[in-house]
Amino acid sequence: MKRPARSAEKNAAHRARRARSSAARPEAGEHGHGPFVPVVGVGASAGGVEAASELLSCLPSDTGMAFVFIQHLDPQHPSFLPDVLARATPMPVAQAADGVRLQADHVYVIPPNAELSLSGPTLRLGPRPVRPGRPALPIDSFLRSLAEDRARSALGVVLSGTASDGTEGLRAIQENDGITLVQDPQTARFAGMPQSAIAAGVADRVLSVPDLARELVRLSRHPYVAPDARDPGAEEGDEAVRDQIRALVHNVVGVDFREYKPASFQRRLGRRMALRELRRLGDYLELLRASRPEVEALAEDLLVHVTSFFRDPEAFDALKAEIFPRILEHKPAGAPVRVWVPGCATGEEVYSVAIAFLEHLDEAGKASPLQIFATDLSERTIERARAGFYADVVLRDVGEERRRRYFTRVEGGYRVNKAVRDACVFVRHDLARDPPFSKLDLVSCRNVLIYFGAALQKKVIATFHYALNEPGFLMLGRSESITSFARLFAPVDRANKVYARTAVPSR
């Protein structure tokens, strides 16, 4: 069996970072490793030195935030970037070093031939990874670590540059409740990086450099980001206002967020308030009543779209080694294998399941039709998933052989091959309300249940049991479990969260 491109060591490190992030997100005023400092990650490439200098010259020296600049640098030559940037700001500017503790109102610059990450209050420096035939992506790498470490107090900025580095890093910041800012492409010397972020829908604000500076100053004072301020919406009586907001969103977009976890709802609500320059929940309710687009934007924010190709590769290995053989063993000749992927977001998970199945057929020398039903509440993400187009950076962890066999190179990225797309049907569907698909062999519902309250989790798990054949299998995400539903599902692979449907009657 061919191993996925990403190494086991990298996967273990990635899961450990995500576990730290989800287990103990930093709240206002505290951080598990020392004094809490909001961090601004700034990425730039060609033309970025001028933009970064202008940004710093427009910033005061007392925002209370630390600034980390990630610039594409020649790995073979020393960098004079710290000296250049120091001339633009009264803040101390230094080249980043391994183990340096971040301080507020300081600027740190990545050194050449290095990859920078964040661990608590400490910068970590490692060698620049070698990816033959593929570009280095130091901006994405740092912004991802920033997102996982600082959650809502992470701010990502992408300035002038070519290609698409920074886009996936900004996506990670948004997914982890942070805020993203992008230089207006019309003001950038090279518009590639800003345009990539905008096209991917991961730019919360698109502004000229002086306006970016003003927005950073404003955000540094907002209670959503500021470390010592009270949370927006923490005043007495705000729970009643939140209930009115939930009802308003339900009436406008048809999604009932009363059944979602309150903490997740409040974080995303605070994020929208910060973006709309509001501090009082009552004021935000008034804005929602006057603006349908803001209601829709809030709903999109609440539907966190977290996905990637072959996320946790060991889970796909388990499908190929254990689950697909058992499904095919009980399939009549010519009968299709039926799969449901609820909460499919932009489709990476769906196409990963399809590719893994086709690989299994090829390795086993078998043939079988495949039908994958992919659903999500967001029509916008469904449209993107249906198109099957992904930027280069999205496929960075997809091995060269998989890219060659299952993707076609097009301008700006890759498109999933038609044979794979034809096996996948994308539709809008409310997992909490709409009737389920039926006669399924596999349900892959990964990292969706973590946003649901206990009552909705119970309802959805029962729905999956009803929808599955016998044998039928359920795959969940790493941080999810159904131990309280042992009557309905028995573990097949505990490490990879794969379960088999039990034979008890369904309701």
Side-chain angles (χ1 to χ4, degrees):
M1 183 182 302
K2 184 173 289 294
R3 295 294 301 169
R6 180 191 259 173
S7 69
E9 291 81 2
K10 281 192 174 183
N11 265 294
H14 179 70
R15 289 196 300 271
R17 288 197 304 269
R18 291 199 66 85
R20 288 198 304 269
S21 172
S22 60
R25 287 175 177 266
E27 295 298 330
E30 32 179 87
H31 195 286
H33 303 274
F36 182 80
V37 179
V39 180
V40 182
V42 183
S45 180
V49 175
E50 298 92 332
S53 297
E54 183 182 9
L55 180 68
L56 287 175
S57 69
C58 294
L59 285 168
S61 60
D62 61 348
T63 63
M65 300 190 293
F67 297 84
V68 182
F69 278 85
I70 311 297
Q71 172 82 18
H72 286 185
L73 300 171
D74 187 328
Q76 305 301 325
H77 294 87
S79 170
F80 300 101
L81 185 57
D83 296 331
V84 173
L85 297 182
R87 293 195 285 269
T89 176
M91 289 187 284
V93 180
Q95 186 166 276
D98 187 53
V100 167
R101 293 175 67 87
L102 289 174
Q103 297 183 60
D105 304 316
H106 282 58
V107 181
Y108 305 87
V109 183
I110 190 172
N113 201 29
E115 190 163 272
L116 198 60
S117 62
L118 185 64
S119 177
T122 305
L123 288 173
R124 292 299 176 192
L125 204 62
R128 183 175 177 174
V130 178
R131 299 184 180 97
R134 301 166 68 183
L137 300 169
I139 301 170
D140 278 327
S141 178
F142 178 76
L143 293 182
R144 279 176 163 175
S145 75
L146 171 60
E148 292 167 0
D149 192 272
R150 291 301 159 110
R152 79 183 207 192
S153 290
L155 294 97
V157 179
V158 166
L159 302 176
S160 172
T162 58
S164 62
D165 194 11
T167 295
E168 291 307 302
L170 294 186
R171 189 189 307 279
I173 287 176
Q174 279 192 340
E175 290 169 352
N176 284 272
D177 306 320
I179 292 175
T180 61
L181 310 174
V182 172
Q183 182 178 359
D184 186 338
Q186 295 185 349
T187 71
R189 186 175 169 192
F190 293 90
M193 281 172 34
Q195 285 176 339
S196 173
I198 295 166
V202 296
D204 287 320
R205 288 281 184 270
V206 180
L207 302 166
S208 67
V209 171
D211 286 340
L212 285 176
R214 282 188 280 272
E215 182 71 355
L216 286 170
V217 172
R218 186 188 68 77
L219 289 169
S220 74
R221 314 293 194 237
H222 194 277
Y224 184 74
V225 174
D228 298 318
R230 295 179 68 195
D231 282 348
E235 299 175 8
E236 186 177 350
D238 277 345
E239 186 54 41
V241 179
R242 278 191 286 274
D243 285 342
Q244 293 180 64
I245 290 174
R246 291 186 185 95
L248 180 58
V249 173
H250 188 196
N251 290 337
V252 173
V253 301
V255 182
D256 189 352
F257 287 103
R258 290 176 300 180
E259 296 177 306
Y260 285 57
K261 287 183 178 177
S264 298
F265 182 84
Q266 185 161 337
R267 281 198 307 270
R268 305 305 278 187
L269 200 59
R271 203 183 91 86
R272 291 304 310 174
M273 290 173 64
L275 288 169
R276 296 312 302 258
E277 305 182 29
L278 296 172
R279 292 170 177 257
R280 293 183 60 255
L281 205 56
D283 293 337
Y284 187 61
L285 174 59
E286 291 306 311
L287 172 63
L288 290 170
R289 286 170 171 162
S291 172
R292 181 187 178 96
E294 180 59 26
V295 177
E296 293 169 346
L298 172 60
E300 282 291 329
D301 242 32
L302 290 165
L303 300 173
V304 184
H305 306 296
V306 183
T307 186
S308 62
F309 279 102
F310 296 98
R311 188 179 189 185
D312 301 322
E314 295 91 341
F316 292 92
D317 289 349
L319 286 181
K320 293 167 67 174
E322 303 176 56
I323 305 308
F324 292 149
R326 291 173 64 175
I327 291 173
L328 290 170
E329 181 184 348
H330 292 84
K331 276 288 168 188
V337 171
R338 292 166 58 87
V339 181
W340 181 18
V341 184
C344 69
T346 47
E348 289 93 321
E349 175 87 7
V350 182
Y351 294 125
S352 297
V353 172
I355 290 170
F357 181 77
L358 294 174
E359 287 177 339
H360 171 72
L361 292 181
D362 186 54
E363 292 163 6
K366 296 182 178 180
S368 177
L370 174 66
Q371 296 176 347
I372 300 185
F373 305 99
T375 64
D376 199 276
L377 271 168
S378 170
E379 188 64 46
R380 186 177 71 181
T381 60
I382 284 291
E383 290 174 1
R384 289 182 57 198
R386 192 178 290 129
F389 170 79
Y390 300 95
D392 297 80
V393 66
V394 179
L395 270 74
R396 74 165 128 195
D397 292 324
V398 176
E400 183 61 37
E401 183 179 349
R402 278 177 170 160
R403 277 186 285 163
R404 179 181 58 81
R405 291 185 63 186
Y406 300 108
F407 297 86
T408 300
R409 193 77 165 92
V410 295
E411 184 179 355
Y414 291 85
R415 189 177 304 281
V416 179
N417 287 349
K418 187 174 187 298
V420 180
R421 297 202 313 273
D422 286 349
C424 306
V425 178
F426 293 90
V427 294
R428 187 185 183 280
H429 179 275
D430 187 344
L431 185 57
R433 295 284 177 271
D434 295 335
F437 296 88
S438 61
K439 299 181 180 179
L440 300 167
D441 302 297
L442 171 68
V443 174
S444 176
C445 184
R446 305 176 74 212
N447 306 298
V448 175
L449 298 181
I450 56 175
Y451 300 106
F452 293 170
L456 184 52
Q457 285 188 9
K458 180 178 180 181
K459 176 181 178 181
V460 168
I461 293 297
T463 297
F464 292 157
H465 185 269
Y466 171 83
L468 282 164
N469 289 327
E470 189 180 330
F473 301 91
L474 171 64
M475 184 166 70
L476 301 178
R478 290 278 185 181
S479 57
E480 296 169 320
S481 176
I482 56 171
T483 53
S484 57
F485 303 97
R487 188 179 70 88
L488 300 179
F489 289 93
V492 173
D493 185 331
R494 292 183 185 274
N496 293 299
K497 300 300 177 71
V498 182
Y499 302 86
R501 180 192 188 276
T502 62
V504 299
S506 289
R507 292 178 60 187

